Amino acid sequence: QVQLVESGGGLVQAGGSLRLSCAASALSDTAYSMGWFRQAPGREREFVTAISRSSSSTYYSDSVKGRFTISRDNAKNTVYLQMNGLKSEDTAVYYCAAKAGRTYYTPEGYNYWGQGTQVTVSS
């Protein structure tokens, strides 16, 4: 019903910035809240941030709050993740996801996932 495609990942020096995009193609009229998760090698997928479908509410993990900003443009069916002050521990594959369940903070709350985009932060 929904296809998600992430873009904007790459290699950046510590302290730098990246802007990720997630383009959504919906095959139904259902509206979704959206989230970003990340997964580093050998670690579980972890919550980064989420946004309600009308942008009225946002949620952030403690590790990124104050550095990352989530936003969306519903006219373009696109969600963004602005990442500033990047650290080496931010290195991971970043995934865009469409929410289906009631929980924002766990992968089990999301039904659709993109393929991921690699973010690498050098020291």
Side-chain angles (χ1 to χ4, degrees), residues 1-121:
Q1 297 180 9
V2 178
Q3 287 189 328
L4 306 173
V5 180
E6 303 96 335
S7 62
L11 176 65
V12 64
Q13 292 183 334
S17 299
L18 282 174
R19 178 177 163 109
L20 306 183
S21 298
C22 174
S25 298
L27 277 63
S28 72
D29 294 331
T30 303
Y32 295 92
S33 296
M34 302 294 296
W36 288 94
F37 288 75
R38 65 188 182 186
Q39 187 166 24
R43 303 189 65 179
E44 296 183 351
R45 190 166 300 186
E46 65 176 357
F47 171 79
V48 178
T49 182
I51 188 168
S52 62
R53 60 192 188 189
S54 297
S55 302
S56 59
S57 299
T58 57
Y59 310 86
Y60 295 93
S61 68
D62 290 340
S63 62
V64 307
K65 192 171 185 178
R67 299 188 297 121
F68 291 9
T69 303
I70 188 171
S71 62
R72 68 191 300 166
D73 185 341
N74 288 342
K76 297 182 178 180
N77 292 323
T78 302
V79 182
Y80 304 96
L81 179 61
Q82 179 66 48
M83 305 185 293
N84 298 325
L86 284 163
K87 307 174 181 179
S88 60
E89 53 261 44
D90 295 318
T91 296
V93 176
Y94 283 70
Y95 297 91
C96 179
K99 186 175 181 295
R102 299 182 63 178
T103 301
Y104 280 98
Y105 302 103
T106 62
E108 290 73 21
Y110 297 80
N111 196 36
Y112 301 100
W113 296 84
Q115 82 288 344
T117 185
Q118 177 71 47
V119 172
T120 303
V121 184

